[in-house]
Amino acid sequence: MSKILLSLISIYPIARFNPDSHNMKKIATLVCLLLSAFILSAQSTATTYAGTINGYRESMGFKTGQLIINNVITNQRELHVINIKANGDFYINFPLAHKQEAWVSFPFFHSPVYFETGKNHIQDFTISNTWAVTSIFKGDGAIINNDINKVRSLLDYNWEAIEADIYQLTPDQYKAYFLGIKANKLRLIDSIAAATVMSQPAVELARRNVEHTIASNLIYYNETMESVYRRKNNIPFNKTPALPPTKLSASYYDFLNTMKYNDPSAMVSYSYYEFLNKLMFIDLIYDKANEEGLGYAKDLSRIKTQDTSKQEIKNLIKFYEDLISLKTLPAGALEKVRPGVLKNLLKKDISLELDLIYLQSVSQQIDAGKDTLSDAALAEIGSKIKHKFLLADVAALNNKVKQSISETKNKTGYTYNQMPAELPADSFWVKILDRYKGKVIFVDFWATWCVPCLQGIQQIAPLKEELADNKNIVFLYITNTSSPEKNYAITMPGIKGEHYRISTDQYNILSEMFQISGIPHYAIINKQGTIVNRHFLWNETRQIKQQLTALENE
């Protein structure tokens, strides 16, 4: 820390002589940043979650739970496995940068739990079966969590019933429906709070979760209706929309102006993370980008003026039509129009939300791009935001990635298999199967830039450790050239298993073979080299284990 602070003099020498200079402001920002990051690092190591599951038996079929922490500043998601002892006791120590809700998931409990940095939290469960569960909190944060328990059922949603209700609703009907749910839930929370004397922080947290969840669903009208339509009509999920999107006017989003913004306490709410990630991709932003010619409409129009009888032109037309239908825009297009659209729509001080959105994009480049920042670059970013305390998380992520890059050369447990790019995919695939003949193969199609892919890889990691001594099961990771070589070289060594980075042509043929419409995509191959499941779906790692071990024993 001292070396970094001293180095500032060499970075901005003129600042020593001009206290009012812009460079001096950068130094002040960076000094605060580094001190905050140092404090953040010290605080992020001693948060615990423990308890007992009364009535637990190993014969129930599970030995773990999960704790998921979403960082709304860096858009990082950390997944931690909670190991359960035979007597039902569990304990986990995990890093936490700020007080916030994290998602706790056991087969009998799926809900956010409030945690405070560096504190010890206890939750004791009593289960007669997985559908009849009670819990009580002790230790730190117990007052808020026990108060939330009083209204926890109101934070759940019967999505099966909701989907049946909203099928084929117009935007105005859809909005009225969800606003009705919101009003009813808030009324019940206030009624229970008055009757049972809930603490004010718990009441505010419960209300925020309802408000943010409802707002998220209202923002995603088109995406929700697309999903409901597919399930209702048993249409497989793929890249091509089954429904034409409905253009939503600015008046549709008037519910957003009833909400509170620029309030750091909102960051405690688990659902605020989801809300912000919906808000930053609101349809109006895409509409504005296209209106200003930042999309692919011009490219499509230009291509259509060429000889459309040629197959390559037909392919290009379809390519750009797919980009437009999937709301894909060139890099930087959304960033250019987003602040103006949101300010015009909300007409409120949304400086916190804009800072968070900006820092998420910076963090994405650091993490996915492995493009770490110098002290001067961090100071420059700090000068662009209003809420300076947010920058400490970005600095911590920057240091984490730097450390990860330096540790890459010491990673073990992975094998990078190189295949000639010109080798046809069918021949390539035969060579892979020959290499792992007699073994059960779990295939993971992924990419370094795919956040859900990396989350899935992290979730599966403990299972791979459990099966590490089993030489009859192989975890096979396949990506294509969309994973940049630099990022791949840094990320791949941290993923234990067999790795292949293949050409576009090879990947296209495998995409047809495995019917890949998006990633992550999983498949399972038996010992005879037969694809037994082209699109393996799983929610818990025990499902993977059951399938792999069953095939191993055949």
Side-chain angles (χ1 to χ4, degrees), residues 213-225:
T213 298
I214 295 297
S216 295
N217 282 282
L218 289 174
I219 290 172
Y220 258 37
Y221 170 79
N222 278 310
E223 290 78 2
T224 301
M225 298 305 286

Side-chain angles (χ1 to χ4, degrees), residues 53 55-57 60-62 106-110 126-134 542:
I53 305 170
Y56 170 77
R57 302 180 306 279
M60 289 178 170
F62 63 92
F106 293 103
F108 52 85
F109 180 86
H110 306 277
T126 299
I127 57 173
S128 56
N129 57 61
T130 56
W131 304 108
V133 179
T134 60
R542 63 187 177 91

Side-chain angles (χ1 to χ4, degrees), residues 63-288:
K63 296 180 181 180
T64 62
Q66 291 182 348
L67 186 147
I68 300 172
I69 303 169
N70 293 329
N71 187 316
V72 73
I73 303 172
T74 62
N75 200 25
Q76 297 288 298
R77 168 175 282 198
E78 293 184 0
L79 186 151
H80 302 274
V81 175
I82 306 169
N83 292 305
I84 306 169
K85 295 181 179 179
N87 65 355
D89 289 348
F90 63 88
Y91 172 88
I92 184 172
N93 185 312
F94 60 95
L96 186 71
H98 311 278
K99 64 178 181 179
Q100 67 174 90
E101 288 184 307
W103 188 262
V104 171
S105 180
F106 293 103
F108 52 85
F109 180 86
H110 306 277
S111 187
V113 171
Y114 171 76
F115 292 100
E116 296 176 352
T117 303
K119 300 295 181 67
N120 302 310
H121 311 81
I122 300 171
Q123 184 177 16
D124 289 336
F125 294 96
T126 299
I127 57 173
S128 56
N129 57 61
T130 56
W131 304 108
V133 179
T134 60
S135 75
I136 185 169
F137 289 87
K138 303 172 185 176
D140 298 313
I143 292 176
I144 289 178
N145 279 314
N146 283 323
D147 280 348
I148 290 292
N149 269 352
K150 299 173 184 176
V151 297
R152 195 173 296 278
S153 63
L154 294 173
L155 306 182
D156 291 332
Y157 296 80
N158 185 344
W159 291 111
E160 185 175 348
I162 289 173
E163 288 191 357
D165 289 342
I166 65 176
Y167 182 62
Q168 294 184 328
L169 290 186
T170 66
D172 286 341
Q173 291 170 334
Y174 178 93
K175 181 167 71 171
Y177 177 85
F178 274 103
L179 290 179
I181 292 177
K182 171 184 171 182
N184 186 54
K185 285 182 179 288
L186 293 181
R187 178 182 59 79
L188 289 172
I189 288 173
D190 290 342
S191 176
I192 293 171
T196 62
V197 194
M198 286 175 62
S199 62
Q200 192 58 34
V203 174
E204 291 178 359
L205 191 53
R207 289 180 63 90
R208 284 188 193 276
N209 271 310
V210 170
E211 290 171 348
H212 291 142
T213 298
I214 295 297
S216 295
N217 282 282
L218 289 174
I219 290 172
Y220 258 37
Y221 170 79
N222 278 310
E223 290 78 2
T224 301
M225 298 305 286
E226 169 81 11
S227 178
V228 171
Y229 182 82
R230 285 182 180 274
R231 276 194 283 270
K232 186 79 171 178
N233 295 281
N234 295 316
I235 301 173
F237 285 81
N238 54 37
K239 294 181 180 180
T240 305
L243 285 176
T246 301
K247 188 174 178 63
L248 302 173
S249 66
S251 62
Y252 170 82
Y253 297 100
D254 57 9
F255 62 89
L256 290 172
N257 277 300
T258 66
M259 301 177 67
K260 188 176 181 181
Y261 299 93
N262 196 38
D263 181 3
S265 64
M267 295 165 59
V268 176
S269 163
Y270 182 83
S271 58
Y272 180 70
Y273 172 89
E274 178 188 5
F275 167 69
L276 186 70
N277 280 276
K278 296 290 194 297
L279 183 67
M280 66 193 292
F281 295 111
I282 202 166
D283 283 358
L284 293 178
I285 298 173
Y286 287 93
D287 294 342
K288 184 64 173 177

Side-chain angles (χ1 to χ4, degrees), residues 1 4-5 8 29-39 375 395:
M1 173 68 71
I4 297 176
L5 293 176
L8 294 176
T29 297
L30 186 54
V31 169
C32 292
L33 160 66
L34 292 170
L35 290 174
S36 298
F38 178 77
I39 295 170
D375 297 336

Side-chain angles (χ1 to χ4, degrees), residues 362-373 394 397-398 401:
V362 171
S363 300
Q364 169 71 9
Q365 184 59 34
I366 294 172
D367 186 50
K370 306 304 177 190
D371 189 8
T372 56
L373 303 175
V394 180
L397 173 64
N398 194 53
V401 173

